[in-house]
Amino acid sequence: GVSKAVLINVIFCHQDDSNWPLSEPTKVKKKFDDIFAATKYTKALEELKKQKKKLMAQKKELALKLETAEARRKEAQKRRKKKSQIERKLTELNQKIQEYNSEIEEEKEFIDEYEKKKEENKQVLNQIENLKQTKVRLIKKNREFYENMQEEFDETD
């Protein structure tokens, strides 16, 4: 196949129309465009330019999305790392709290034992005081008894 434009304008051209290459430049251009299918080529070029422009816009948009996604990914990594550090710190603090609670329980037991011994000592001191008073009374009674006995012995002599 020969194109329709070549058949009409070159091969089967009427004699009156055969001088078309000498006519006005716009008419000549149109005939050449028809013969060489330049309009299809031009349209194809325009379509390629449009597609290229569209693809470049998509590329820019995707590059921007990629940049945004990369920034978000880095931020997420930072936050995960910080979360991990905070969780480790929290675990350490919870362990310290458990240690301190254990120490507090030991101290409470010590204080309870101390209070118990203090109460026992108080009771012993009270017993000692009571015994001292009893001793003083007994000594006093004993003296009285000796004095009474002495008087009785003195009276019987």
Side-chain angles (χ1 to χ4, degrees):
V2 179
S3 74
K4 188 177 180 181
V6 171
L7 288 174
I8 294 172
N9 294 313
V10 176
I11 297 176
F12 298 115
C13 182
H14 194 272
Q15 205 172 20
D16 293 340
D17 292 331
S18 65
N19 290 332
W20 66 263
L22 302 173
S23 58
E24 297 175 24
T26 53
K27 286 183 181 180
V28 172
K29 181 180 183 321
K30 176 154 181 13
K31 293 269 184 187
F32 274 122
D33 286 348
D34 288 344
I35 293 171
F36 296 111
T39 54
K40 289 181 185 177
Y41 177 75
T42 306
K43 285 181 183 178
L45 278 178
E46 286 176 13
E47 185 62 29
L48 285 174
K49 286 180 184 178
K50 284 181 189 177
Q51 289 296 324
K52 182 180 178 182
K53 190 175 183 180
K54 184 178 174 183
L55 289 174
M56 292 304 285
Q58 284 180 345
K59 179 183 173 185
K60 283 183 182 178
E61 184 179 325
L62 290 174
L64 183 61
K65 284 182 179 180
L66 177 64
E67 187 178 316
T68 303
E70 184 66 24
R72 286 182 178 170
R73 184 186 66 81
K74 285 181 181 178
E75 183 64 27
Q77 283 178 333
K78 247 193 260 183
R79 288 183 180 186
R80 279 189 210 107
K81 186 177 179 181
K82 189 168 187 170
K83 178 186 173 199
S84 177
Q85 290 172 343
I86 289 172
E87 286 174 343
R88 275 194 301 266
K89 186 71 172 177
L90 182 63
T91 302
E92 290 173 11
L93 291 175
N94 282 334
Q95 287 174 346
K96 282 187 177 185
I97 287 172
Q98 288 176 348
E99 290 173 11
Y100 291 150
N101 283 338
S102 173
E103 289 178 18
I104 288 171
E105 285 302 315
E106 289 175 10
E107 292 297 319
K108 281 182 179 178
E109 288 174 11
F110 177 77
I111 289 172
D112 289 344
E113 189 65 30
Y114 175 80
E115 289 293 327
K116 186 178 174 184
K117 287 186 179 193
K118 182 179 167 184
E119 189 60 36
E120 288 175 2
N121 286 341
K122 217 183 231 184
Q123 288 175 357
V124 167
L125 286 174
N126 282 339
Q127 286 176 350
I128 290 173
E129 187 60 37
N130 287 339
L131 288 173
K132 282 182 179 178
Q133 289 175 1
T134 304
K135 179 183 172 188
V136 167
R137 272 196 325 262
L138 287 175
I139 289 175
K140 187 175 176 183
K141 274 187 170 184
N142 200 8
R143 274 191 200 144
E144 287 176 5
F145 178 72
Y146 277 118
E147 286 175 6
N148 282 338
M149 274 184 76
Q150 198 70 28
E151 285 176 14
E152 278 187 33
F153 277 122
D154 283 339
E155 285 179 12
T156 50
D157 278 339

